[in-house]
Amino acid sequence: MQRHRHQEFIRFLNTIEPQVPARKTIHAIVDNYATHKHPKVRKWLTRHPRWTFHFTPTSASWLNAVEGFFAKLTTRRLKRGVFRSVADLQAAIDRFLAETNSDPKPFIWTADPKRVLAAVNRGKQTLESVRLESVR
């Protein structure tokens, strides 16, 4: 969606909801963006108990690699670009992906596993506190 507010996120959730069989639980992996924790999103979750949000740890090193990729896309292709339509923008992104994939540079993980596990545990604690708040 063009905007990333809680309204669009709830619209996204409402799009997914009927597409998953009613007997299935839904686990959504989301980052810690404020939109995902907005009071109206939390209220939506209480009305849809089969949904569980799993928040990624803040400062997770694998996310830094993804963010680095998007930063490179922004600075090398989008920042000074002129796009007269969404199709033009998508074409520019597709060209960047093709060029990047033609000479890939693998990401080498250098994170300390203990720090990663500590971040995961902090994420679990946050998830549990959100879950408890939604039950109250």
Side-chain angles (χ1 to χ4, degrees), residues 25-42:
T25 58
I26 302 172
H27 295 269
I29 300 170
V30 297
D31 62 15
N32 285 282
Y33 190 52
T35 295
H36 303 141
K37 298 177 181 180
H38 190 278
K40 289 186 179 179
V41 172
R42 288 183 183 197

Side-chain angles (χ1 to χ4, degrees), residues 13-112:
L13 297 173
N14 285 330
T15 300
I16 300 300
E17 172 67 21
Q19 295 182 33
V20 177
R23 66 187 180 284
K24 301 277 187 178
T25 58
I26 302 172
H27 295 269
I29 300 170
V30 297
D31 62 15
N32 285 282
Y33 190 52
T35 295
H36 303 141
K37 298 177 181 180
H38 190 278
K40 289 186 179 179
V41 172
R42 288 183 183 197
K43 187 176 179 181
W44 187 95
L45 283 172
T46 62
R47 292 191 317 269
H48 298 85
R50 71 186 186 131
W51 282 77
T52 301
F53 280 7
H54 301 278
F55 292 92
T56 58
T58 54
S59 302
S61 59
W62 64 272
L63 284 177
N64 293 341
V66 173
E67 289 174 355
F69 174 81
F70 282 109
K72 189 185 299 184
L73 166 65
T74 300
T75 58
R76 294 188 183 175
R77 185 55 52 94
L78 304 179
K79 192 171 186 176
R80 291 184 177 84
V82 175
F83 311 102
R84 302 199 186 284
S85 68
V86 172
D88 286 350
L89 173 62
Q90 289 172 328
I93 293 170
D94 289 342
R95 283 192 305 276
F96 177 81
L97 292 173
E99 292 164 9
T100 301
N101 289 337
S102 69
D103 186 25
K105 306 282 188 269
F107 175 75
I108 299 172
W109 188 288
T110 59
D112 174 18

